[in-house]
Amino acid sequence: MTTTTTGTRAAEAVGTAHTRVEGRDKVTGAARYAGEIPFAGLAHGWLVLSTITRGRIRSVEADTVLGMPGVLTVLHHGNAPRVDIDYVGMLGKPDPTVAVFQHDRVPHAGWPVALVVAETSEQAREAAEALVVNYEEEPHDVTFPGEHPDAYTAPGPGGPGVTEKGDLEAELAASAVVLDAEYTTPEEHHNSMEPHAATALWDGGRLEVVDSNQGTVWVASELASLFSLDPDSVRVRSEHVGGGFGSKGLRAHQVAAVMAATALSRPVRVVMTRRQLFSLAGYRSPTTQRIRLGADAEGRLRALEHSCLSRTSTVFDFIESGAGVARVMYDAPAHHTANRVVQLDVPSPTFMRAPGEAPGSFALESALDELAERCGIDPIELRLRNEPELGPVSGLPFSTRRLPACFREGARRFGWADRDPRPGLRRDGRWLLGTGTAAASFGAGAAPSTAAATAEADGTFTVRISAADIGTGARTALTLVAADALHVPTDRVRVRIGDSEFGPAMIAGGSMGTRSWAWAVTAAAEELRERLALSDVIPPEGITVRSDTTEAIGALAQQERHSFGAQFAEVAVDVATGEVRVRRMLGIFAAGRIVNPLTARGQFVGGMIWGISMALHEEAVRDGNTGALYGADLAGYHVATNADVPLVEADWVDDPDPHDPVGIKGIGEIGIVGAAAAIANAVWHATGVRHRSLPIRPDRVLAAGPRA
């Protein structure tokens, strides 16, 4: 037995820069990812995807490849285990895409039609590429238009499909200044660094899956429902994850791996290729957005309409809620928003970093900039004049809303006061220079979670929680939170994550992970510290306390809870070549108490860099004839790389959430919100030409030219 040693409060760890606790393991290769962990008797599966866009499978010529070296089995709709998708999971009903090999229908290009399993990955790939699948092809439609007769309104992650108050047409008619503009964003893909990989095996009647995901409990519960298993008989582990951005939930590869492990009674690993990810890992839908604004002569809004049309598959509804951002940012006596969707013969979209807010903020913040120009008012001043006192749609108070402070601090540091508002005047040799700004917001929610804190006999502490560190530094942040709650130095705390056995917890998504997990960790650690104060010794098995934040989070008052930010960008445009270069960016954020400034700054800057990519590079294009993507790889799908990234600075103003035990809000997604709009607004300032469609490609710059 060991004497208890929490004692007096140590120096606060939260708020101090701390290198990642698993950093050494990652840079030395000791940290193993899902596709690297060895298993005895491991077999390898390779997915075969459809080569048509719509139709039926007539036959799968499996006999030919079953005789190839190392091939163990070929699973397809004729022999695969049956699964049940008639259930409601943690995030609603599942996308039927995950119910692989259940029927002969093909609803989009890249639909999974078979899995070839072999002794080695190379053998599985060779056989998969040799497998002949015969189809009965049908006409398809993948063209995303500005309007579509079959479009309909639907609720999505951003809330209800439609919100309305006031007489829109009357307020527009009475406005001194009116803007009516359409903005478009393209199909975009996640492309996390680590591929999607899963290994499934049965051990004594229990299913184990080692995976790369954003929530082990989430994936375990989905697999249990799909395969009609007792939830306690499914364990999912995911210790290290090389990026997710919304794409790493339940996907076809995990289900296929479980099917193959069941059929062969041995471990089976399935890893998706980069090209397969473009079909099966989800993506951000293209959007067409219409903004109508009416304002008085002083720039105060009288009317705001934001409608967003997105695209989904014919098998599953996912709504890119671009209009949702208007429900938070600006109010008007007449305030209408609508999210609409059209079903086409394409793969299902999904959550992608700042779903809804990223494309929605491009449209709304570009429109606010255009309104400022027409009103002859500085873009920051226009936004400040339209700061709402309450939620524009909900009518609820804001927990905190320090957006004006972000703009004031950002304007000071960026040198906004020296800006000549007239476009097309600044030059640097062949380059036209311009600056732009935009506002940002993202929800700051919390979800019930559980955690366990153990005082070990050797004087250290172990925290267990089913959190997921998808590269954000969550493991380190929770170490700091636990150390403060226990009143001990961080080197006495060990945080274990990524195991469904640790109990229910929020997924890494919606910028809610760290806040939800930290709440549970704090509750467990504080109760443990109180219990230790009453104990003289720690027994060999340690002392463990478990928390559940369901009641505490359920008791929260109804409020608008969001992180906010102000984005600034300076660009250089060569109208002779069409090249656009971002020269510098600054983001100032009000995002709750910052747990670890080192990793937090990386999250903000990473989001802003993605904003550069969104504004200037990223665009997945579908071939109307084949229904498939052109260049479904990182050679054909362009992303910002080192040469595209200039000086990017991120900082924050003090903004602790008074209703959170640590003061956290959330930072994972707000960095990308508003970034593309700030760049687009800067391009207008440089050239005098508005670009309402992303990305701002060289050919579009050349076609538009500078304003005469």
Side-chain angles (χ1 to χ4, degrees), residues 576-668:
T577 65
E579 184 179 6
V580 178
R581 286 282 178 183
V582 177
R583 289 198 166 184
R584 61 187 176 113
M585 288 191 76
L586 170 67
I588 301 293
F589 301 96
R593 188 180 182 196
I594 302 303
V595 176
N596 184 358
L598 184 64
T599 53
R601 185 168 281 107
Q603 284 294 291
F604 289 135
V605 169
M608 294 168 69
I609 291 171
W610 203 339
I612 296 173
S613 202
M614 178 181 177
L616 303 180
H617 303 285
E618 294 194 41
E619 181 180 26
V621 179
R622 290 199 174 270
D623 183 339
N625 293 320
T626 68
L629 291 174
Y630 292 104
D633 50 43
L634 290 180
Y637 181 81
H638 294 171
V639 299
T641 57
N642 290 19
D644 302 299
V645 178
L647 174 65
V648 179
E649 295 181 277
D651 211 336
W652 45 86
V653 297
D654 191 41
D655 182 40
D657 189 320
H659 306 107
D660 182 271
V662 186
I664 297 171
K665 282 189 172 181
I667 64 173

Side-chain angles (χ1 to χ4, degrees), residues 153-172:
T153 58
V162 175
T163 65
E164 293 180 316
K165 71 175 182 181
D167 189 329
L168 187 71
E169 299 303 330
E171 292 292 348
L172 286 169

Side-chain angles (χ1 to χ4, degrees), residues 448-537:
S449 298
T450 62
T454 300
E456 307 288 359
D458 63 0
T460 64
F461 297 86
T462 302
V463 173
R464 294 173 177 85
I465 185 167
S466 297
D469 191 334
I470 59 175
T472 57
R475 183 187 275 102
T476 306
L478 295 179
T479 300
L480 305 185
V481 168
D484 278 1
L486 290 165
H487 295 185
V488 298
T490 57
D491 60 6
R492 289 178 58 191
V493 177
R494 178 173 62 256
V495 173
R496 294 185 58 195
I497 64 172
D499 191 330
S500 63
E501 284 204 326
F502 296 160
M506 176 57 186
I507 65 172
S511 295
M512 296 168 63
T514 298
R515 180 179 185 182
S516 302
W517 305 325
W519 199 321
V521 166
T522 298
E526 287 182 345
E527 184 180 340
L528 177 61
R529 180 168 50 81
E530 292 171 2
R531 185 176 299 185
L532 290 176
L534 303 176
S535 302
D536 294 328
V537 294

Side-chain angles (χ1 to χ4, degrees), residues 85-122:
I85 60 169
D86 187 20
Y87 69 90
V88 178
M90 186 181 294
L91 298 183
K93 291 190 72 64
D95 181 349
T97 306
V98 303
V100 293
F101 321 139
Q102 298 299 291
H103 52 75
D104 63 356
R105 291 293 306 171
V106 174
H108 63 72
W111 179 263
V113 296
L115 180 78
V116 177
V117 187
E119 295 287 354
T120 70
S121 173
E122 294 80 6

